[in-house]
Amino acid sequence: MIKREKFIPIGIASSVAKASGFDWMKTIEIANKLNVSVIQLHLNQFKPEFNWQLNLAERFKQIYIHLPADFNYKHPFVASLKNIPNAPLLIQHERYLNRDDIDFFIASRLPLGFENDQQNYLYGYFDQLKKLHYLGLNIAAVIDLPRFYHQFIGKQDEKEIYNHILNVLTWCKSLQISVIMHTIDIADYQPKQASWTPIFEGILPWKEVLTFSIKESIPVKSIIFEYEDFPNMEKSICCLLYTSPSPRDRTRSRMPSSA
């Protein structure tokens, strides 16, 4: 049986350390236990005394830092980046990225992970992603597939949302823009943690999206699980690494197997 990580690296977010205040060291401890090669930490828990080289650079192949809504590019962490040989990807939500932030990322050439997050217009994220790319940002597309459904189900049907996600992925391939997938599965479309399930056990079209990504050689840089508890995180990683669910195994999914 082929590990899926031979195709797409797997990582975890510091959400899994919620019970420990999203602590960086606790997240690293869990990542080591799960033997993943990618880690995503939140800037709010940054401590100036943190040993970047020892705790992160020598352990993980990819490192992401999720920015807060009120990110200020004068934050002491930004100053510390000059001492880091390979700058981590800085992730920001669509609705929190302002003009000053854009100017900062253009000038600094630091890598920006641009994550979908607004509920006004399904195609707005794609439009803004294109604009940021053509402005010259060093950009990656962070696709939070559950959020697309939470924010637009009822306004657009499932097939339209699904096909739109595939269109974004295809465009990223055409320009070789890296993609990061923020990943949970859900039992229903209510945006609450109680509805979260391990991947492939819910209603989201993860099997179809991942199969499409591998088949079409979408430049997916990593899959980041964002569960807030260890059991869902661990089971999802095992499912993704070692199982190959077929459409008949996912009777709860209402999504087409192709666009």
Side-chain angles (χ1 to χ4, degrees):
M1 189 173 298
I2 298 174
K3 281 190 176 185
R4 287 177 184 267
E5 195 169 13
K6 289 184 180 294
F7 299 104
I8 303 173
I10 294 172
I12 66 169
S14 55
S15 55
V16 73
K18 181 179 180 180
S20 301
F22 309 102
D23 181 72
W24 284 22
M25 292 304 298
K26 183 62 177 178
T27 305
I28 292 168
E29 176 187 326
I30 295 171
N32 287 333
K33 184 174 183 179
L34 294 171
N35 194 31
V36 295
S37 61
V38 189
I39 194 166
Q40 176 181 300
L41 305 168
H42 201 285
L43 185 61
N44 279 351
Q45 282 69 48
F46 169 72
K47 297 177 182 177
E49 67 273 16
F50 182 82
N51 190 322
W52 183 275
Q53 185 65 28
L54 179 63
N55 293 314
L56 290 176
E58 295 179 1
R59 167 66 182 83
F60 297 97
K61 294 179 180 178
Q62 299 178 46
I63 303 164
Y64 310 150
I65 302 297
H66 205 303
L67 304 178
D70 58 351
F71 170 64
N72 186 326
Y73 51 85
K74 296 180 181 178
H75 189 284
F77 174 75
V78 175
S80 74
L81 290 177
K82 66 179 181 294
N83 299 318
I84 299 174
N86 297 309
L89 182 76
L90 306 180
I91 296 176
Q92 185 57 290
H93 284 219
E94 176 182 2
R95 60 176 163 160
Y96 300 134
L97 192 73
N98 59 45
R99 183 68 236 188
D100 287 344
D101 295 333
I102 294 171
D103 291 341
F104 162 73
F105 278 102
I106 291 174
S108 67
R109 294 298 299 159
L110 287 171
L112 169 67
F114 183 58
E115 181 173 359
N116 59 290
D117 183 12
Q118 51 85 20
Q119 37 194 343
N120 299 320
Y121 179 52
L122 174 62
Y123 305 98
Y125 170 76
F126 195 11
D127 291 344
Q128 183 69 352
L129 180 65
K130 292 176 182 176
K131 289 178 183 177
L132 294 175
H133 168 70
Y134 292 120
L135 281 172
L137 273 74
N138 180 7
I139 198 164
V142 181
I143 306 299
D144 190 314
L145 187 145
R147 188 179 292 120
F148 268 120
Y149 285 91
H150 286 148
Q151 292 182 331
F152 294 104
I153 200 71
K155 302 174 185 177
Q156 278 84 23
D157 64 29
E158 292 168 315
K159 185 175 181 180
E160 184 176 4
I161 297 170
Y162 174 78
N163 286 339
H164 177 60
I165 292 167
L166 297 195
N167 288 339
V168 175
L169 295 176
T170 301
W171 179 82
C172 288
K173 175 188 174 181
S174 71
L175 294 172
Q176 284 302 295
I177 292 173
S178 295
V179 174
I180 291 95
M181 291 187 177
H182 276 177
T183 308
I184 62 169
D185 208 343
I186 54 176
D188 57 54
Y189 288 129
Q190 297 300 314
K192 59 184 186 298
Q193 186 182 351
S195 72
W196 294 4
T197 70
I199 194 169
F200 305 136
E201 293 187 12
I203 61 174
L204 293 176
W206 279 115
K207 185 266 180 182
E208 293 83 359
V209 169
L210 294 174
T211 298
F212 175 86
S213 297
I214 292 171
K215 180 181 177 181
E216 298 299 321
S217 300
I218 305 300
V220 180
K221 190 176 178 69
S222 67
I223 293 169
I224 300 293
F225 286 107
E226 292 198 311
Y227 293 99
E228 295 182 353
D229 65 287
F230 185 83
N232 271 328
M233 187 82 80
E234 182 180 40
K235 187 171 183 180
S236 293
I237 290 173
C238 289
C239 286
L240 191 62
L241 285 175
Y242 298 110
T243 65
S244 182
S246 64
R248 65 177 176 272
D249 294 327
R250 301 177 64 252
T251 56
R252 296 170 69 187
S253 174
R254 300 190 291 274
M255 295 305 303
S257 59
S258 61

